Amino acid sequence: MPIDLNVTRLMQAPDKYMFEREACMRLDEIEQGTAEEQRVKRLKDTAKAAKDKAKQLTTQANLSADQLKMKKSREQLAKVRTPSSTTMIKPHA
């Protein structure tokens, strides 16, 4: 749809340009479309940011889980390597 902002020409002869005036968009219609487009863009940007944040949190959670596994594994190894609390009774020779 063509956009005609030459309002004075339309005001001088409204009957002559009736069809042309109806085919044109008004300025408030243009601004409204732009506002709607900006809102959609903001929503898309917000969704993308949320998706990126979720991905970051997932990675962080996986890293924390791996670190916890390593810590438990080290503790278990240390437990196996430490001498038992009871001393072995040596046989008399």
Side-chain angles (χ1 to χ4, degrees):
M1 186 179 307
I3 300 170
D4 185 10
L5 298 178
N6 190 355
V7 179
T8 56
R9 182 173 56 127
L10 295 175
M11 292 175 84
Q12 290 171 353
D15 296 331
K16 182 178 178 184
Y17 296 105
M18 187 64 141
F19 176 76
E20 185 177 336
R21 190 171 77 197
E22 290 176 0
C24 298
M25 293 178 69
R26 294 188 325 245
L27 186 58
D28 62 337
E29 291 174 336
I30 296 168
E31 289 173 352
Q32 183 181 10
T34 304
E36 289 171 353
E37 290 169 0
Q38 289 175 353
R39 181 174 175 270
V40 169
K41 185 180 182 308
R42 279 194 311 271
L43 288 172
K44 285 182 179 181
D45 290 344
T46 303
K48 184 180 183 295
K51 183 179 177 182
D52 292 343
K53 182 70 174 178
K55 189 175 182 180
Q56 180 184 11
L57 290 174
T58 301
T59 303
Q60 187 177 2
N62 291 338
L63 180 62
S64 295
D66 290 342
Q67 288 174 345
L68 182 62
K69 284 180 188 176
M70 287 174 34
K71 181 180 176 184
K72 286 184 176 184
S73 178
R74 275 191 241 117
E75 288 174 354
Q76 195 174 28
L77 270 173
K79 194 184 268 187
V80 169
R81 289 186 179 170
T82 57
S84 61
S85 59
T86 60
T87 57
M88 292 184 64
I89 302 173
K90 296 180 183 178
H92 295 299

